[in-house]
Amino acid sequence: MNKWLKPLLPVAMAASVLSGCATPNASVEIQGEVWFRERIALPPNAVLTVQVKDVSKMDAPSVVIAELQRSDITTPAPFQFVIPSDQFEPGHTYAVGAKISHNDQLMFINTQAYPIDLGSQEPMSVLVQQVGR
């Protein structure tokens, strides 16, 4: 072996091992749509809020990891989050929550849990139901 290459061999091996540790996809993509069954037109200034929450602790409020709001609501309304994977803790449970409000009055909300499978790329379908008045 060439005398110049011999000292570089351990460095090259370490670099190849370290590059194998880096995750090529260091983010989690969560996407889907929010929809409701009612055939009604929403007020033009209604707001859709979609949240990614850590719902691990039963006795404590959930922790919002990411949130988006939009006012141009169609049904179904698409959503997408790209969140760094280090925001998710092993062993924790995460879910998507959605609501539609108008002038700070709740109109629609999801009434069932929508757990997130961090290993899945499948789009989620989140049903929100009209709140009784």
Side-chain angles (χ1 to χ4, degrees):
M1 182 178 282
N2 185 321
K3 69 178 184 174
W4 297 106
L5 292 178
K6 200 170 194 176
L8 295 177
L9 187 59
V11 173
M13 288 178 65
S16 70
V17 168
L18 289 175
S19 68
C21 293
T23 32
N25 185 4
S27 61
V28 173
E29 183 176 350
I30 301 164
Q31 62 179 331
E33 61 189 21
V34 175
W35 61 283
F36 54 89
R37 289 187 178 120
E38 291 77 7
R39 296 190 181 275
I40 61 171
L42 295 173
N45 53 349
V47 175
L48 168 67
T49 303
V50 183
Q51 297 177 325
V52 174
K53 306 177 195 181
D54 182 341
V55 294
S56 300
K57 298 181 181 173
M58 297 285 245
D59 325 3
S62 58
V63 176
V64 176
I65 304 294
E67 178 179 284
L68 70 81
Q69 290 188 327
R70 57 187 281 194
S71 57
D72 57 334
I73 306 170
T74 58
T75 186
F79 66 86
Q80 179 180 20
F81 294 94
V82 178
I83 304 169
S85 57
D86 64 359
Q87 298 294 307
F88 298 95
E89 296 184 42
H92 282 225
T93 305
Y94 298 92
V96 168
K99 66 181 179 180
I100 298 173
S101 55
H102 176 250
N103 293 334
D104 294 324
Q105 295 290 323
L106 187 61
M107 294 179 66
F108 292 84
I109 193 165
N110 63 291
T111 58
Q112 71 180 52
Y114 290 95
I116 297 170
D117 177 358
L118 295 175
S120 173
Q121 294 293 324
E122 288 296 313
M124 300 178 75
S125 180
V126 178
L127 173 65
V128 291
Q129 297 184 341
Q130 194 165 18
V131 175
R133 300 256 168 210

